[in-house]
Amino acid sequence: SISTDMNEMIRIRDFILNKPNVGVVFAGDELEGLKAQYLSTNTAKTPIDVQIQIEFLKMMFFDPLAEQNKVLGMVSGYWGHPGWVNDATTLNIWRTMVGDLDIPIVQNGGFLDIKFPSGYIHSLQLWHNPPGNSKYDEVAGLREAILGTSETVRPDGAISGHIHRMGVAKENYAGATSQVY
């Protein structure tokens, strides 16, 4: 999209590449798909087609990050910009984006375990667009999803990307032995 801040994306990519203990989860909207309902906005703001977007993403972001094992996962299977390509075709757009790179694909709402050299395993639930929302509370959908999960299978944290805004919370659930962020 022409509204993308490419300099900021490159700055973030370079930050990830240059910090030994930093990784990334792609939580969605990596490319601008097309949906007839949004032609007036999508087409006007998308100067390159989906194929070129995929090639650009691979060259500029996925390849260098995956080469250094910096990509922890990518959320898939959701309605949204890449999902519109998936809905309109039989193409699995997420597999197409990562190709043969070692990037774990996680279904929307699925779990990702990060294994540390010490043996510690940190569990995340990954969403692009979790159920529930609020125009005032950026983490409302994540909170609703986690509250509906019993503590024995509750992840350590949850991530979503749909709203394109940052929201961070650390939750203390009644009777729980650990917090969830």
Side-chain angles (χ1 to χ4, degrees):
S1 172
I2 61 171
S3 59
T4 300
D5 185 341
M6 189 56 62
N7 290 331
E8 182 65 7
M9 289 176 61
I10 291 169
R11 188 194 68 74
I12 292 169
R13 178 206 61 197
D14 292 348
F15 175 84
I16 296 165
L17 288 170
N18 292 310
K19 298 291 181 184
N21 296 318
V22 175
V24 63
V25 170
F26 288 99
D29 294 350
E30 296 82 14
L31 60 79
E32 184 64 73
L34 190 63
K35 185 170 178 69
Q37 180 181 352
Y38 304 121
L39 281 177
S40 63
T41 57
N42 289 115
T43 306
K45 292 185 176 184
T46 309
I48 57 177
D49 65 36
V50 171
Q51 182 62 43
I52 295 172
Q53 290 180 62
I54 291 169
E55 291 170 9
F56 180 79
L57 280 166
K58 284 188 62 135
M59 178 183 66
M60 290 293 294
F61 299 98
F62 300 152
D63 288 344
L65 290 164
E67 185 178 296
Q68 290 190 26
N69 296 316
K70 295 289 197 162
V71 184
L72 304 175
M74 174 185 273
V75 179
S76 71
Y78 57 86
W79 177 89
H81 302 260
W84 299 333
V85 174
N86 191 67
D87 292 345
T89 67
T90 59
L91 181 70
N92 182 323
I93 191 64
W94 297 279
R95 289 286 347 133
T96 302
M97 280 194 285
V98 302
D100 60 355
L101 298 173
D102 187 20
I103 296 177
I105 303 293
V106 179
Q107 187 69 23
N108 192 40
F111 293 87
L112 174 70
D113 288 336
I114 303 168
K115 297 176 178 91
F116 289 83
S118 67
Y120 171 72
I121 297 174
H122 192 81
S123 175
L124 295 172
Q125 189 167 18
L126 307 179
W127 295 90
H128 172 69
N129 49 348
N133 61 45
S134 164
K135 64 181 182 178
Y136 304 110
D137 180 1
E138 284 81 359
V139 298
L142 290 174
R143 184 178 294 113
E144 288 180 33
I146 298 300
L147 276 172
T149 306
S150 71
E151 186 176 14
T152 57
V153 294
R154 188 176 295 147
D156 299 306
I159 297 171
S160 72
H162 181 66
I163 61 173
H164 301 239
R165 295 187 311 268
M166 183 182 291
V168 179
K170 193 170 195 177
E171 305 288 333
N172 296 302
Y173 298 115
T177 58
S178 62
Q179 299 174 329
V180 175
Y181 67 88

